[in-house]
Amino acid sequence: MDVSDKFENKLMDINQGSSSKNDIIKKFDDLADTFDEFSKGSGYTALKYCSTLLSKHIPDRKANILDFGCGTGLVGEQLYQLGFQNIDGFDCAPKCLQVAENKQIFKRLFCEFFSGQTLNLATDFYDGLICVGGFFPSGLKANCFREWIRIVKPGGYILNAMRRSFLETCLDFNDGKLEGEMKALESDGKWKLILTEEFEAGRKEWNMILFLHQIL
C-alpha cells in the first residue's frame, strides 16, 4: 500500500462512522502525530490550491485569516508560505492543535466543537476564512455559514472546499440542500458567490468543489 492509499484510508476513517462529538474528536486526535507525514507524501493538492486561490483575492499579507477546521495546521502552513502573517486556527481536536501550535505560524488557536453555536470570536474581524475538507458526513453542516458570515468583515472572503462526491452522497448536502442554503443567504444579502469550481486534488476520490463567497 503506497502513501496515497494510506492517506485515503485515514481520510475515510474520519469521513465515515460515528457522528458523536467525542468519537469525532478522538478520530482526529488519534491521527495527530502521523497526519502531516501522510498528507505531504500522498500528492494531495487541495490545501495548496485553495490557499493560493484565496491569496489572489486577499493581496494584503497582514490581513487576518481564520483557518476553520485547521487540524494540524497544513492549510496554515500554505498561507504562511504565501506570506500571510496573521493566521488563526479553529478546530475541535486538542492534539491536532498542539501539532499546529508547534509550527509557530498561528497567532491564536481556538479549540471548540462547532455545532451551530455562537462562537467567542469577534464580529467583522477576519478578512478571510478558509475551510478545506471540513464538510463530510459527520463533519460541518450548513449551520456554520451564518457564524462564518458574522466573524468575517464586509468585503472579506470565505473559501469552502469539500469532496465533490459528498454533494451527492451525504444526506445533509445532496439534492441541492447545501447549495440551497448558500443561495438563501445570498438572497438575504449576506454574501455573494464569486466563484465555484471543481478541481482534481491528486486522485479520483479527492476531486473537490470549492465555493468562494464575498461578504456583503
Side-chain angles (χ1 to χ4, degrees), residues 43-46 49 197-204 206-209:
Y44 183 59
T45 61
Y49 188 90
E197 178 182 348
E198 297 185 31
F199 64 96
E200 298 178 357
R203 56 188 282 172
K204 183 177 179 181
W206 301 342
N207 287 350
M208 305 284 284
I209 184 168

Side-chain angles (χ1 to χ4, degrees), residues 77-119:
E77 282 188 71
Q78 296 293 330
L79 293 170
Y80 186 78
Q81 291 171 13
L82 288 164
F84 287 99
Q85 303 171 29
N86 298 306
I87 310 165
D88 290 346
F90 182 99
D91 201 86
C92 68
K95 290 184 180 178
C96 289
L97 286 175
Q98 184 60 60
V99 175
E101 183 177 17
N102 291 341
K103 295 175 179 178
Q104 299 183 334
I105 59 176
F106 291 93
K107 292 291 185 181
R108 299 180 297 172
L109 289 167
F110 304 98
C111 187
E112 189 171 348
F113 188 92
F114 183 78
S115 56
Q117 74 274 26
T118 299
L119 301 170

Side-chain angles (χ1 to χ4, degrees), residues 68 90 112-119 139-148 150:
F68 201 94
F90 182 99
E112 189 171 348
F113 188 92
F114 183 78
S115 56
Q117 74 274 26
T118 299
L119 301 170
L140 294 172
K141 305 293 185 288
N143 60 4
C144 70
F145 292 151
R146 288 190 179 274
E147 189 63 4
W148 286 359
R150 181 186 69 79

